[in-house]
Amino acid sequence: MKYTRAYIEITNVCNKCCSFCHKTKRAPRLMNMEEFSLICDKLSGVTQYLYLHVMGEPLTHPLICDFISHAKDKGFKVAITTNGSLLERLGERIVEAGVYKVNLSLHSFEGGSAEDHRKYIESCLNFAKNASKRGVLTVLRLWNGGVEDTLNSETLALMHEKFPDEWKFSSRGARIWDKLHLEYGERFEWPDSNAENMGDDLFCYGLSDHFGILSNGQVIPCCLDSDGAINLGNIYTESIEDILSSPRACAIREGFSRKKAAEDLCKRCGYARRFKI
């Protein structure tokens, strides 16, 4: 079975502490090159797209550029999701390494002065302009819909200053120019064992078009299982084909094909609420 993408957590360490992030109770860990190379070998033919993010900030990893170039050499297209705070130092390097796509979470800025916000947004937009000009698909995310007291108005004003050309709007955001997009989204509640049980009448794309791999090698059904509650196996010691065809994985996938959630954690996922039947 071919998958649209795999989420690979190269580190669960982050340099920020955003209120919207579920965070993780797992011990801090960095994936090493041997582990990453093994994953690339095992995912060959399974997917073409590697998204280097589950928890953590991928740009904090000292081998981020090596990982990108290694995966590219293996025939993968590499995407990262970042809070953007380290792009001033590392942005040019990840472009040179061959990153395919960068998702910039502009809703990550919390606290600080208006001047700090402007400097942060301008830094992110400078990277976005340069990266998209050089063929890197770049997405500016404002995933904080439904939240009061956001800085979206100020952020959008700075974006229009930087990109004054006419934007092409859609229901989910806007195309600013070639390879550069703005994406809106609602803030959601992460799946949590203590969250409200919404029942099993749910649909999700987990294990139908994607799956995740934590920094310890544990395979999970989606990128929101922050603590690895749904452990499908370990890619460091097992084949990915065996893991994804295991009874537990099949039950999850087949359940969602019938619009039924097989796992308790899935029934407590705020993101899946948008797919509720």
Side-chain angles (χ1 to χ4, degrees), residues 100-163:
Y100 168 76
K101 179 182 180 183
V102 177
N103 296 313
L104 267 163
S105 299
L106 298 184
H107 49 271
S108 296
F109 184 91
E110 293 183 334
S113 65
E115 181 182 355
D116 289 339
H117 174 253
R118 185 179 184 94
K119 286 172 63 177
Y120 162 73
I121 296 298
E122 286 181 342
S123 174
C124 291
L125 297 183
N126 286 338
F127 167 81
K129 189 168 190 176
N130 176 60
S132 57
K133 276 184 175 181
R134 294 170 62 180
V136 178
L137 181 59
T138 308
V139 180
L140 306 171
R141 287 179 170 178
L142 288 175
W143 282 15
N144 54 5
V147 178
E148 296 181 358
D149 300 323
T150 70
L151 293 170
N152 288 0
S153 295
E154 292 86 343
T155 299
L156 288 168
L158 291 171
M159 291 173 66
H160 280 289
E161 282 182 27
K162 193 74 172 178
F163 306 104

Side-chain angles (χ1 to χ4, degrees), residues 56-67:
E57 166 54 54
L59 295 186
T60 64
H61 199 300
L63 298 178
I64 178 64
C65 295
D66 296 321
F67 284 174

Side-chain angles (χ1 to χ4, degrees), residues 13 80 103 121 143 148 152 162 182-183 186 204 238 247:
V13 175
I80 66 170
N103 296 313
I121 296 298
W143 282 15
E148 296 181 358
N152 288 0
K162 193 74 172 178
L182 167 65
E183 187 179 88
E186 295 294 312
C204 178
E238 304 169 67

Side-chain angles (χ1 to χ4, degrees), residues 6-8 10 31-52 63-78 211 213 217 235-236 238 240-241:
Y7 292 92
I8 302 176
I10 60 174
M31 187 178 287
N32 61 43
M33 178 54 82
E34 183 180 3
E35 291 167 339
F36 184 75
S37 180
L38 177 64
I39 289 174
C40 288
D41 289 342
K42 290 193 173 186
L43 293 187
S44 178
V46 177
T47 184
Q48 187 182 5
Y49 294 88
L50 305 183
Y51 281 60
L52 305 189
L63 298 178
I64 178 64
C65 295
D66 296 321
F67 284 174
I68 293 171
S69 60
H70 179 80
K72 184 182 178 185
D73 289 345
K74 290 285 187 177
F76 294 101
K77 293 184 177 180
V78 181
F211 57 90
I213 301 172
I235 196 169
Y236 295 155
E238 304 169 67
I240 192 64
E241 290 80 9

Side-chain angles (χ1 to χ4, degrees), residues 71-90:
K72 184 182 178 185
D73 289 345
K74 290 285 187 177
F76 294 101
K77 293 184 177 180
V78 181
I80 66 170
T81 298
T82 174
N83 59 41
S85 62
L86 301 175
L87 284 173
E88 210 164 59
R89 177 164 58 88
L90 293 170

Side-chain angles (χ1 to χ4, degrees), residues 207-226:
L207 289 181
S208 64
D209 72 357
H210 70 273
F211 57 90
I213 301 172
L214 300 180
S215 54
N216 63 3
Q218 182 180 324
V219 178
I220 53 177
C222 78
C223 64
L224 295 179
D225 186 358
S226 61

